[in-house]
Amino acid sequence: MPIPYTKLVIEHFKNPHNVGEIPDADVKVTEGSPACGDMITLYLKIDPETQRIVDVKFKSYGCASNIATASIITDLVKGKTVEEAKKITWKDAAEALGGLPPVKVHCSVLAADALHSAVELYLEKNGLIKENEPTTVDKVYERLSHVMNPETGIDVVKSKIVKSVVVDSGIVEITLNIPKTSQFADNIKEEIEERLQYLWDIREVRILFKE
């Protein structure tokens, strides 16, 4: 039996809005992975004076629900301030699409997660986070769960290449269970640094590889 998508979902799936990249984006994040079935990369361009999102683009891999949700979320956030964008949820996106089949609701969460991660990263990069909670090992693992291992298509925590995490005196030291010569080592290192280096109480991120 076909999944009963609304006409608006089908329209956004067939003709998604704001698809592409922003070469000079202020922030770029990727959520999900091909191994899980859905992935989205979101780009935001933000006016530093007004804190308004002046441009937004996305690239996505996944089902109709995932692509349609990403499309409508980019419509919803354009022109909003980052504080207003933080409040947009997957429920807002689903409602704007006229509803989603219950079996596909989880697919709509990915685009909302990408939006929230992008806003959070922008605020951290610009020192605009108001609630400064100390960085803990658990928080580092949570951030690492958003870094994909290209070799497996799932995140670096689930793919079990994170051997240890130590947080001490503003330094995060992460030991990875892959050699520095791995073809994906530089990419993974760069993504980890991007996720952690702007935390308010972190002054250095050290990535160590297996000898």
Side-chain angles (χ1 to χ4, degrees), residues 22-62:
I22 300 177
D24 60 343
D26 293 302
V27 64
K28 167 193 167 188
V29 298
T30 297
E31 295 286 346
S33 74
C36 297
D38 294 291
M39 185 171 75
I40 175 174
T41 298
L42 188 71
Y43 305 78
L44 297 181
K45 187 68 179 174
I46 298 167
D47 184 323
E49 298 297 325
T50 64
Q51 300 298 309
R52 289 192 182 278
I53 297 170
V54 294
D55 198 9
V56 52
K57 300 283 186 187
F58 80 98
K59 295 191 301 183
S60 182
Y61 169 88

Side-chain angles (χ1 to χ4, degrees), residues 3 13 31 33 45 50 100 107 115 126 150 159 177 189 197:
I3 296 176
F13 169 58
E31 295 286 346
S33 74
K45 187 68 179 174
T50 64
L100 289 168
C107 301
L115 172 62
N126 291 278
S159 59
N177 195 27
K189 179 175 182 290
Q197 65 183 334

